[in-house]
Amino acid sequence: MRLTTRGRYAVTALLDLALQPIEQTITLAEIATRQTISVAYLEQLFAKLKRHGLVSSVRGANGGYHLARSASEITVLEIIEAVNETVDATRCDHKGNCQNGAMCLTHDLWQELSLHIADYLAKISLADLVARDNVQTVAIRQNPASFDSALLSVTGI
């Protein structure tokens, strides 16, 4: 399987966006700080994510990014594919020419694994990830001020 840092960072960055208030635009610098990803790398990723309609940008003093669609409509597989990643576990890109131009003994095994992985990731949305307790715990640790002010506005303290 060829899931590299690019795919992992893209999912992480969009999950970070999904955790922020919907009406707020988020800068790449904010994501970079919370997720310890370089701004330059995020710029490359967000250009691809924007081209694929996963994020929208706003220019100006209050500019930044937000999800282009609802978090429930964006799947992990879609994010990975938008940044030119693949979940292909074969060595031949599903072509069947893995061993000197012919199919290898384990081609079908790796092809089926690839399909299972893709199916699994296509069923998980950003909203599914946001709802996970562990994600919420990490988000609070990474951005306590944001969650403190949200708590204050909810409790009226």
Side-chain angles (χ1 to χ4, degrees), residues 14 43-59 64-66 68 82-83:
L14 287 194
E43 287 171 348
Q44 294 172 26
L45 293 176
F46 272 68
K48 291 178 181 190
L49 295 167
K50 186 175 179 181
R51 238 186 337 265
H52 282 85
L54 299 178
V55 297
S56 298
S57 62
V58 176
R59 292 182 172 206
Y65 287 90
H66 53 85
V83 295

Side-chain angles (χ1 to χ4, degrees), residues 74-152:
I74 299 174
T75 68
V76 172
L77 182 63
E78 192 176 7
I79 298 166
I80 291 168
E81 290 177 340
V83 295
N84 302 333
E85 285 291 310
T86 177
V87 292
D88 181 10
T90 69
R91 295 182 140 201
C92 62
D93 273 344
H94 299 288
K95 295 176 186 163
N97 59 357
C98 6
Q99 190 173 38
N100 300 323
M103 190 177 292
C104 70
L105 285 173
T106 56
H107 176 81
D108 290 341
L109 171 69
W110 304 128
Q111 177 129 347
E112 289 171 19
L113 175 62
S114 299
L115 294 173
H116 283 290
I117 293 169
D119 185 52
Y120 173 73
L121 295 175
K123 292 177 181 173
I124 300 173
S125 71
L126 285 175
D128 295 331
L129 295 176
V130 166
R132 292 181 178 188
D133 289 339
N134 199 35
V135 169
Q136 291 292 322
T137 301
V138 173
I140 291 168
R141 185 196 68 208
Q142 289 178 340
N143 197 11
S146 174
F147 285 91
D148 286 346
S149 62
L151 181 62
L152 289 175

